[in-house]
């Protein structure tokens, strides 16, 4: 088990570049299975989830060449059907939630596929019904294989286009159905489709490969099936969640920071959500400059009531940043209600923030009220365990602003979504050390010694 030791209360300074987007990378790498031609993908983030997916593709027989720090060549001209039907394939899929998006491509290539229950963050119920129902609409027979404990899909003939209304605007579900539909016979219409920038990127990449997708950036997609797809080159967007994480770090450490090449047009409501907490964000070309602020004040609604920040499907606020916004609120002036609608376990990490001195009331699994300190009370160091990617980064941000040395265990969760985060943050002034060792004794400032 790896851990971070974080010495807080250090200012950050300089410039930092966001990695390629994790969610887009998982989608477009799965899409390389749709053609036997070579597909070149640039700005691939060097993170655990993406590396595990690439390793899985290699095991399936896909030729993968890393030709630069973030540049890969994929060629799926030969797929090892024996491996795809093996227990090892199911075991690897079960450890990586993003692997679910291989169902659509593999159905087109092989005509059948088994898939195990997906892994990923333990943030509450994350059903896959949208994936399975949508692909079933295209003519794939769906059943549960009791012996293999796996979902089984089979298309005895070429998939057939269909019209469907998704029960939820699932991002990965929409991506999966798109990848199944691009090679189906006839026309597919998807209503209530997710329309996040990463879905838009997937659609544009597929169109560059010869697909015929219209309605991109809307929630109504029309896909005219084609006979085959060819190779292309594609560049992944910067990760909007990492951009938001850097905003939070700058705010909590009273730092001046510039985030380079953020792709402003694809950030949606994210900058305004931080501005509603009182932060100043300056646009300088495609860079984001965050000036030092010793104090920032949370807005109220026009009628004077407490501000509510809640997640919603795009173009609403992504749920992946609510944990960061919550932490930033702890040192603001004023109060805010954080409403996490989509997942019922994502706010349970706030008990660690309360132990650090934050004033938070966890109303229920979905809602927390934060009463900001306005820096009158500094957070104090704590021993924490990362339950998922986003809560882990929220804990890291809190630790970077706290008095003393904090320890965060199980940082493999953070590694799943952030490229060498401690190394990159050290270049701008953070004091973070990665350790692989037995528990040690740490004495946080202003508290008794605690055994970690």
């Amino acid at each position: 088990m790896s851990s971070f030791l974080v010495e807080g209360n250090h200012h950050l300074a300089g410039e930092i570049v966001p990695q390629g987007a994790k969610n887009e990378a998982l989608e477009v790498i799965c899409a390389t299975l749709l053609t036997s031609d070579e597909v070149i993908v640039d700005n691939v983030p060097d993170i655990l989830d993406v590396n595990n997916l690439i390793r899985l593709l290699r095991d399936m027989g896909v030729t993968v060449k890393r030709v630069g720090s973030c540049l890969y060549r994929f060629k799926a001209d030969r797929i090892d059907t024996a491996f795809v039907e093996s227990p090892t394939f199911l075991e690897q899929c079960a450890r990586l939630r993003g692997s679910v998006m291989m169902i659509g491509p593999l159905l087109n290539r092989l005509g059948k596929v088994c898939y195990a229950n997906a892994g990923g963050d333990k943030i509450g119920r994350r059903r896959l019904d949208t994936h399975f129902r949508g692909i079933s609409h295209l003519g794939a027979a769906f059943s549960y294989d009791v012996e293999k404990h796996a979902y089984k899909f089979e298309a005895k003939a070429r998939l057939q286009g269909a019209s469907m209304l998704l029960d939820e605007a699932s991002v990965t579900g929409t991506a999966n159905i798109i990848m199944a539909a691009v090679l189906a016979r006839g026309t597919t219409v998807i209503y209530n489709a997710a329309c996040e920038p990463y879905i838009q990127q997937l659609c544009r990449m597929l169109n560059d490969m010869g697909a015929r997708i219209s309605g991109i950036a809307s929630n109504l997609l029309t896909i005219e099936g084609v006979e085959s797809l060819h190779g292309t080159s594609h560049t992944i967007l910067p990760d909007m969640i990492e951009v938001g994480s850097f905003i939070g770090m700058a705010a909590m450490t009273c730092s001046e920071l510039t985030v380079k090449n953020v792709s402003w047009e694809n950030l949606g409501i994210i900058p305004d959500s931080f501005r509603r907490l009182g932060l100043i964000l300056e646009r300088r070309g495609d860079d984001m400059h965050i000036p030092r602020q010793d104090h920032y004040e949370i807005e109220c609604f026009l009628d004077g009531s407490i501000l509510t920040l809640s997640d919603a499907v795009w173009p609403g606020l992504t749920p992946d940043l609510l944990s960061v916004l919550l932490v930033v609120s702890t040192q603001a002036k004023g109060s805010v209600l954080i409403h996490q609608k989509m997942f019922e376990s994502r706010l349970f990490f706030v008990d660690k923030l309360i132990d650090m001195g934050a004033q938070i009331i966890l109303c229920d699994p979905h809602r927390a009220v934060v009463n900001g300190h306005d820096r009158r009370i500094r957070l104090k160091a704590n021993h924490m365990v990362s339950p998922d990617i986003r809560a882990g980064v929220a804990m890291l941000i809190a630790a970077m602003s706290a008095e003393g040395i904090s320890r965060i265990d199980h940082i493999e969760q953070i590694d799943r979504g952030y490229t060498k985060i401690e190394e990159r943050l050290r270049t701008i002034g953070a004091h973070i050390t990665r350790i692989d060792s037995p528990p040690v004794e740490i004495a946080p400032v202003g508290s008794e010694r605690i055994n970690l």
Side-chain angles (χ1 to χ4, degrees):
M1 180 184 71
S2 297
S3 303
F4 280 152
L5 294 183
V6 185
E7 183 178 289
N9 200 22
H10 290 281
H11 296 302
L12 309 179
E15 300 177 345
I16 193 164
V17 180
Q19 68 186 23
K22 166 184 178 282
N23 293 337
E24 181 186 344
L26 296 173
E27 294 173 13
V28 302
I29 290 172
C30 288
T32 65
L33 294 169
L34 287 164
T35 177
S36 58
D37 291 348
E38 184 176 75
V39 178
I40 301 171
V41 184
D42 199 2
N43 203 26
V44 177
D46 184 11
I47 57 177
L48 196 58
D49 273 11
V50 170
N51 292 338
N52 284 340
L53 180 60
I54 291 172
R55 187 177 301 112
L56 180 55
L57 261 63
R58 283 195 174 109
D59 292 342
M60 291 165 56
V62 178
T63 300
V64 183
K65 296 180 181 178
R66 187 174 184 175
V67 293
S69 60
C70 301
L71 182 65
Y72 285 82
R73 297 177 182 268
F74 299 87
K75 190 169 185 179
D77 54 342
R78 291 185 300 274
I79 297 178
D80 186 346
T81 55
F83 176 78
V84 174
E85 295 174 359
S86 70
T88 302
F89 174 76
L90 292 176
E91 291 168 6
Q92 292 186 27
C93 288
R95 293 195 293 267
L96 176 64
R97 186 171 183 83
S99 63
V100 70
M101 288 180 288
M102 294 192 300
I103 293 175
L106 287 177
L107 266 177
N108 277 314
R109 290 294 298 273
L110 305 179
K112 60 181 178 179
V113 62
C114 282
Y115 185 77
N117 281 316
D121 289 329
K122 304 303 181 185
I123 56 177
R125 183 176 61 94
R126 304 180 73 185
R127 60 189 180 87
L128 297 174
D129 300 51
T130 305
H131 298 249
F132 300 164
R133 290 171 64 88
I135 292 173
S136 296
H137 279 310
L138 300 175
F142 164 65
S143 61
Y144 185 74
D145 191 320
V146 178
E147 183 177 339
K148 294 183 178 180
H149 303 287
Y151 303 104
K152 185 175 181 181
F153 300 85
E154 188 170 0
K156 295 182 179 179
R158 185 176 169 188
L159 294 174
Q160 180 67 46
S163 294
M164 63 187 79
L165 171 62
L166 303 189
D167 60 339
E168 66 172 349
S170 163
V171 176
T172 54
T174 299
N176 218 346
I177 297 165
I178 290 169
M179 290 187 280
V182 288
L183 293 176
R185 182 180 289 109
T187 300
T188 298
V189 177
I190 308 173
Y191 193 52
N192 196 31
C195 55
E196 273 77 356
Y198 307 140
I199 290 290
Q200 299 173 34
Q201 285 282 95
L202 173 66
C203 290
R204 294 187 184 107
M205 172 182 162
L206 291 172
N207 279 351
D208 288 342
M209 295 168 68
R212 301 178 65 183
I213 307 172
S214 59
I216 298 173
S218 77
N219 67 352
L220 178 60
L221 295 175
T222 301
I223 305 168
E224 298 177 46
V226 297
E227 292 293 329
S228 63
L229 299 178
H230 52 72
T232 191
S233 296
H234 179 79
T235 300
I236 294 171
L237 289 174
D239 196 313
M240 67 172 76
I241 311 305
E242 193 169 70
V243 172
S245 301
F246 294 148
I247 297 171
M249 292 173 188
M252 288 292 286
T253 59
C254 300
S255 300
E256 182 175 356
L257 191 65
T258 298
V259 188
K260 303 289 288 183
N261 305 321
V262 300
S263 187
W264 273 91
E265 65 272 19
N266 289 298
L267 291 179
I269 202 173
I270 290 171
D272 280 341
S273 298
F274 282 99
R275 288 181 178 124
R276 300 193 79 177
L277 297 182
L279 300 186
I280 299 170
L281 306 177
E282 300 173 355
R283 181 169 185 171
R284 298 181 177 179
D286 204 32
D287 300 340
M288 178 184 291
H289 181 72
I290 308 151
R292 172 171 175 162
Q293 287 183 254
D294 292 327
H295 300 276
Y296 47 95
E297 185 172 355
I298 301 170
E299 290 182 4
C300 294
F301 284 125
L302 294 178
D303 63 358
S305 57
I306 292 176
L307 177 70
T308 297
L309 291 179
S310 58
D311 54 343
V313 297
W314 188 268
L317 180 62
T318 170
D320 286 347
L321 274 178
L322 279 183
S323 300
V324 175
L325 288 160
L326 186 150
V327 169
V328 171
S329 303
T330 65
Q331 293 302 312
K333 179 181 180 180
S335 301
V336 61
L337 171 65
I338 303 293
H339 191 176
Q340 170 64 266
K341 298 177 182 177
M342 296 187 187
F343 305 107
E344 63 265 23
S345 301
R346 240 181 179 163
L347 294 180
F348 288 160
F349 79 99
V350 302
D351 63 333
K352 297 300 181 185
L353 300 182
I354 294 170
D355 290 342
M356 297 176 78
Q359 293 185 344
I360 306 172
I361 301 170
L362 185 61
C363 307
D364 55 46
H366 292 276
R367 296 178 301 159
V369 175
V370 184
N371 294 312
H373 288 158
D374 193 21
R375 302 199 193 279
R376 295 188 309 275
I377 305 172
R378 297 196 63 85
L379 299 181
K380 57 181 181 291
N382 196 15
H383 176 208
M384 298 168 276
V385 179
S386 174
D388 62 76
I389 300 174
R390 309 310 174 187
V393 167
M395 291 174 175
L396 177 60
I397 295 170
M400 289 169 65
S401 70
E403 295 281 359
I405 299 175
S406 298
R407 176 170 175 150
I408 305 174
D409 292 334
H410 199 15
I411 58 171
E412 291 80 8
Q413 287 283 7
I414 300 175
D415 291 338
R416 289 179 45 226
Y418 291 81
T419 301
K420 300 177 182 176
I421 188 66
E422 78 281 9
E423 296 179 17
R424 296 161 65 209
L425 292 178
R426 282 201 296 265
T427 67
I428 57 173
H431 289 224
I432 305 172
T433 303
R434 179 184 294 261
I435 60 170
D436 297 282
S437 63
V440 296
E441 276 197 347
I442 300 172
V445 172
S447 67
E448 298 179 357
R449 296 185 70 85
I450 54 176
N451 184 54
L452 301 183

